[in-house]
Amino acid sequence: MSPSANAVSELDNRPAYAAGIGCYVLWGFLPLYFHLLSSLGVGSWEMIAHRTLWSVLWAGGLVLIARQGGQVVQVLRQPRTLGMLALSTLAIFGNWTIYVFAVNAGHVIEASLGYYINPLMNMAAGALLFRERMSGEGKVAIGFAAVGVAIQTIALGHLPIVSLGLALTFCAYAILRKQVKAEAQTGLFIECAYLALPGLAYVLHLAASGHGHFGQGGPVTALLALAGPATVAPLALFAWSARRLPLSAVGFLQFIAPTIQFLLGVAFGEPFTALRALSFLFIWLGVAVFAYGAWKKARVLAPA
């Protein structure tokens, strides 16, 4: 490819890079949203219920925009696909639950660790379950991450349950969605639909018992309704950009979110000892090796 063609290609990719950066920045600053709701007295379960309830409306909007209504009808006639999406719904619900409770309990730094190691866990799962070839860089990256988790365990005095829980649930979600024969928007809508009824039931229960916050003032009501776009918008940006960016770019961009979360955790005054710093050093070394491997692989594939 000539230099001029490369330049044109980079210009064409600018919207995709902007969308990719945008989705990871939104994910990175999500703890601020939950902290704000918490300061208004909203509990974690109420946040999760509104997240499931409002997300289905926005996910449905994406289906309409993508003109995938017909595919939704097809999926509803496929019991196996519905079953796989039910399992992926459990995985993503577990991920959301762990994350919201972790943020509200002051464990943002530990949560960021989970999203640092998640891509490395995905790579290991691909090699074990789908016989995907793991590069030398990948093995080294996983080794660094394992050392980082071990040091984090020593620093905390127990396994980093939040980090491992977030990484495992999101890895399980990726594995399950990999086997679902449906577009991203269709799958997301059905997952949100599974969660919407329990979410609505809990919101109505809170309202009936006088403990709900929705409708109890403009700011808190608007923030709870914002849970829909706060959840769906970054997912939509990710789905759009991932189809248009090379693997190396996605490999670099995906670490924006946990980096922002890590910095927020430090800014919130969460404990960050020298031993925890050492654990993150090994994690970051793993991340650097992983990103280098993705970049190298993309360079090899580019001429083809």
Side-chain angles (χ1 to χ4, degrees):
M1 186 179 288
S2 67
S4 60
N6 272 325
V8 172
S9 177
E10 287 299 317
L11 286 172
D12 291 341
N13 272 347
R14 282 184 179 179
Y17 277 106
I21 292 170
C23 85
Y24 286 114
V25 168
L26 287 173
W27 275 329
F29 282 107
L30 201 55
L32 291 177
Y33 170 70
F34 295 126
H35 266 270
L36 187 55
L37 280 174
S38 182
S39 71
L40 294 173
V42 180
S44 295
W45 282 118
E46 187 174 4
M47 294 180 200
I48 295 166
H50 278 281
R51 192 174 189 185
T52 62
L53 181 58
W54 295 103
S55 292
V56 72
L57 300 177
W58 286 80
L62 288 181
V63 167
L64 293 177
I65 293 171
R67 298 180 180 179
Q68 292 178 3
Q71 188 179 104
V72 171
V73 174
Q74 289 178 5
V75 170
L76 292 176
R77 295 172 179 169
Q78 301 170 3
R80 184 181 183 280
T81 303
L82 285 174
M84 293 297 292
L85 284 169
L87 291 175
S88 67
T89 300
L90 289 175
I92 198 62
F93 177 72
N95 186 270
W96 289 358
T97 302
I98 293 170
Y99 186 75
V100 172
F101 273 90
V103 169
N104 290 335
H107 297 299
V108 177
I109 291 178
E110 195 173 342
S112 74
L113 176 65
Y115 289 114
Y116 273 124
I117 64 178
N118 174 246
L120 308 180
M121 189 176 287
N122 286 345
M123 181 171 53
L128 291 172
L129 300 178
F130 303 106
R131 297 182 178 180
E132 296 175 358
R133 183 178 175 274
M134 188 184 299
S135 65
E137 290 87 356
K139 295 175 183 177
V140 172
I142 290 174
F144 276 131
V147 173
V149 170
I151 296 174
Q152 186 81 189
T153 300
I154 297 170
L156 293 172
H158 56 79
L159 279 172
I161 302 298
V162 168
S163 306
L164 295 176
L166 288 171
L168 283 169
T169 51
F170 208 75
C171 182
Y173 179 73
I175 292 169
L176 290 165
R177 286 303 301 268
K178 185 179 178 71
Q179 301 174 72
V180 173
K181 296 179 180 179
E183 292 292 331
Q185 292 91 337
T186 297
L188 177 64
F189 171 70
I190 292 176
E191 288 167 347
C192 290
Y194 273 129
L195 294 171
L197 283 178
L200 176 60
Y202 188 72
V203 168
L204 292 176
H205 164 71
L206 288 175
S209 63
H211 295 101
H213 289 81
F214 189 78
Q216 302 300 311
V220 70
T221 299
L223 280 172
L224 286 170
L226 188 62
T231 299
V232 175
L235 285 170
L237 289 171
F238 171 78
W240 190 84
S241 64
R243 288 175 176 268
R244 293 163 176 81
L245 292 178
L247 175 64
S248 58
V250 176
F252 282 109
L253 294 180
Q254 66 187 319
F255 296 110
I256 292 175
T259 300
I260 295 173
Q261 292 168 9
F262 168 79
L263 294 173
L264 284 177
V266 173
F268 291 154
E270 294 182 13
F272 191 63
T273 63
L275 201 55
R276 291 193 80 178
L278 181 62
S279 75
F280 269 91
L281 175 61
F282 276 95
I283 295 295
W284 289 328
L285 285 171
V287 166
V289 173
F290 173 88
Y292 170 73
W295 171 78
K296 191 172 76 170
K297 183 178 179 180
R299 286 196 64 186
V300 171
L301 294 176

